[in-house]
Amino acid sequence: MYAQALDQKDKGPAVIEDPERLARFEARCAADEKIEPKDWMPEAYRRTLIRQVSQHAHSEVIGMQPEGNWVTRAPSLKRKAVLLSKIQDEAGHGLYLYSACETLGVSREEVVEALLAGKAKYSSIFNYPTLNWADMGAIGWLVDGAAIMNQIPLCRCSYGPYARAMIRICKEESFHQRQGYEIMLTLARGTPAQKAMAQDALNRWWWPCLMMFGPPDAVSEHSSESMRWKIKRFSNDDLRQKFIDATVPQGLFLGLTFPDPELKFNEATEHWETGPIDWSEFKRVLAGEGPCNRQRMRVRRQTEADGAWVREAARVHAKKRAARQALQAAE
Ligand code: FAQ
């Protein structure tokens, strides 16, 4: 009944929880109470959060790479300054999320190690290349737009530290989305060549952005449990549809066309309907066969190695400081 045999992928032995505690926990989730780090929680809840929050953190950090590609080639000083601060925001998001993850009893080193060892995922979207400047607009408009759609409900996630981290992240993501749309608007109203760049970026980013929301509900293995625990508030398909409905009119306002001949507005349901998503592409990207998977991991591993001396210096400094403070306290 309440015994929980954990999924192998959640890494760890099966845990048989105390039925009464588990029932109280489930009731707290059902009553929309926040779960805090020192509260009792079932091992499966803790593991699913470590999985999701750490993968989210990895996505923010790896997500800096495709945009970093354009820092030296931004078309003006203003564009360069904005892009730089956006990329710094993503690093900040990664840090809040790694901190939220640590409240679940796992160290930052452990979760980063899982990424570097290829055991943890990051968002599929960051395995696509940024080929022209309009990609900076498309990432802000579409990738950040999809991220916000997914993350606003996470501000009400049952786990307190994750929910609170998401509040600030969402404020920044919403600014990112607007700056991306403004780049697209400038290009779409520019010369024919600029408009063609904007169209090309939309053509390449549209379908991968729809995949960002995860597999269809029917095959989403974690959704039902995560929704019962109020980690997720909406299913993958529901969020994808909300994103499509919000984004298609924005694209039409730009005067661009979506790379989907089957896209149409259903008057009866008042929803935009797309053609079928090519889930084999999503699977390929998750299996490491996307256009940039190898490059992203190579750069991430190199960055980790290059930063080793900084972490070591910080550790030695912290040790010396603690020793000095202990000495002062003893005087
Ligand atoms: N990519 O059972 P579900 C951003 C995996 S941040 C890769 O449906 P779940 C900011 C999933 O992990 C973007 N893997 O899973 C930014 C699971 O595999 P596992 C990141 C994916 O967790 C903007 C398997 O498929 N946002 O963009 C993806 O219930 C611009 C089965 O899937 C977050 O992480 C995917 N797209 O739902 C930065 C938000 N989708 O773990 C820079 C938080 C699914 O068992 C520039 N995360 N998988 O090995 C979530 O909301 C959820 O984890 C979902 C997936 C919705 C992503």
Side-chain angles (χ1 to χ4, degrees), residues 9 51 55 121 124 150 212 214 220-222 232 236:
K9 280 165 84 187
R51 179 186 62 79
Q55 293 187 4
K121 294 188 167 75
S124 50
N150 165 276
M212 268 179 84
S220 161
E221 54 181 297
H222 303 293
K232 284 167 93 162
N236 298 356

Side-chain angles (χ1 to χ4, degrees), residues 2 30 70 93 105 140-141 157 205 215 219 259-260 268 298 303:
Y2 290 109
W70 282 89
H93 299 174
W141 171 39
C157 160
W205 290 92
V219 293
D260 177 0
R298 192 175 58 242
T303 311

Side-chain angles (χ1 to χ4, degrees), residues 9 51-52 55-56 59-60 63 67 86 90 121-124 126 139 143-144 147 150-151 154 162 173 211-215 220-223 232 236 282 286:
K9 280 165 84 187
R51 179 186 62 79
Q52 177 168 327
Q55 293 187 4
H56 192 166
S59 304
E60 298 281 357
E67 292 182 304
K86 179 182 191 292
E90 313 299 1
K121 294 188 167 75
Y122 58 90
S123 183
S124 50
F126 301 119
I139 288 188
V143 177
D144 285 281
N150 165 276
Q151 291 172 6
L154 289 174
Y162 190 25
E173 298 289 25
M211 295 173 200
M212 268 179 84
F213 293 90
S220 161
E221 54 181 297
H222 303 293
S223 276
K232 284 167 93 162
N236 298 356
F282 178 71
L286 258 58

Side-chain angles (χ1 to χ4, degrees), residues 68-269:
N69 193 31
W70 282 89
V71 170
T72 54
R73 285 172 288 162
S76 70
L77 182 61
K78 187 181 136 208
R79 292 287 188 208
K80 182 168 176 152
V82 174
L83 183 61
L84 267 174
S85 29
K86 179 182 191 292
I87 296 170
Q88 283 170 353
D89 284 353
E90 313 299 1
H93 299 174
L95 296 184
Y96 315 149
L97 290 165
Y98 283 128
S99 298
C101 209
E102 284 183 311
T103 67
L104 291 155
V106 63
S107 72
R108 180 154 151 200
E109 286 74 17
E110 283 173 282
V111 293
V112 170
E113 188 42 48
L115 172 73
L116 300 181
K119 293 182 196 152
K121 294 188 167 75
Y122 58 90
S123 183
S124 50
I125 195 73
F126 301 119
N127 290 307
Y128 291 85
T130 44
L131 303 179
N132 77 44
W133 167 252
D135 289 18
M136 297 303 97
I139 288 188
W141 171 39
L142 299 173
V143 177
D144 285 281
I148 300 170
M149 200 53 91
N150 165 276
Q151 291 172 6
I152 292 280
L154 289 174
C155 298
R156 293 188 293 120
C157 160
S158 58
Y159 189 58
Y162 190 25
R164 288 188 287 275
M166 289 319 303
I167 293 171
R168 177 155 174 193
I169 292 178
C170 282
K171 285 186 182 155
E172 293 176 352
E173 298 289 25
S174 113
F175 170 73
H176 295 172
Q177 195 270 352
R178 282 163 203 218
Q179 69 82 36
Y181 192 71
E182 197 265 336
I183 292 176
M184 293 300 275
L185 197 58
T186 306
L187 293 172
R189 290 183 177 169
T191 62
Q194 286 173 315
K195 189 168 180 185
M197 278 166 66
Q199 182 63 58
D200 172 55
L202 172 57
N203 292 349
R204 286 180 290 106
W205 290 92
W206 175 243
W207 290 108
C209 279
L210 299 189
M211 295 173 200
M212 268 179 84
F213 293 90
D217 292 353
V219 293
S220 161
E221 54 181 297
H222 303 293
S223 276
S224 62
E225 202 165 54
S226 289
M227 287 184 74
R228 192 178 80 246
W229 284 331
K230 311 268 175 81
I231 296 172
K232 284 167 93 162
R233 298 273 172 169
F234 295 95
S235 76
N236 298 356
D237 286 335
D238 284 351
L239 287 174
R240 191 170 7 255
Q241 187 60 52
K242 278 175 188 280
F243 172 74
I244 294 166
D245 288 340
T247 309
V248 172
Q250 294 169 357
L252 298 179
F253 180 80
L254 292 174
L256 301 179
T257 24
F258 286 83
D260 177 0
E262 292 178 50
L263 184 70
K264 62 174 184 305
F265 188 69
N266 182 326
E267 298 285 349
T269 61

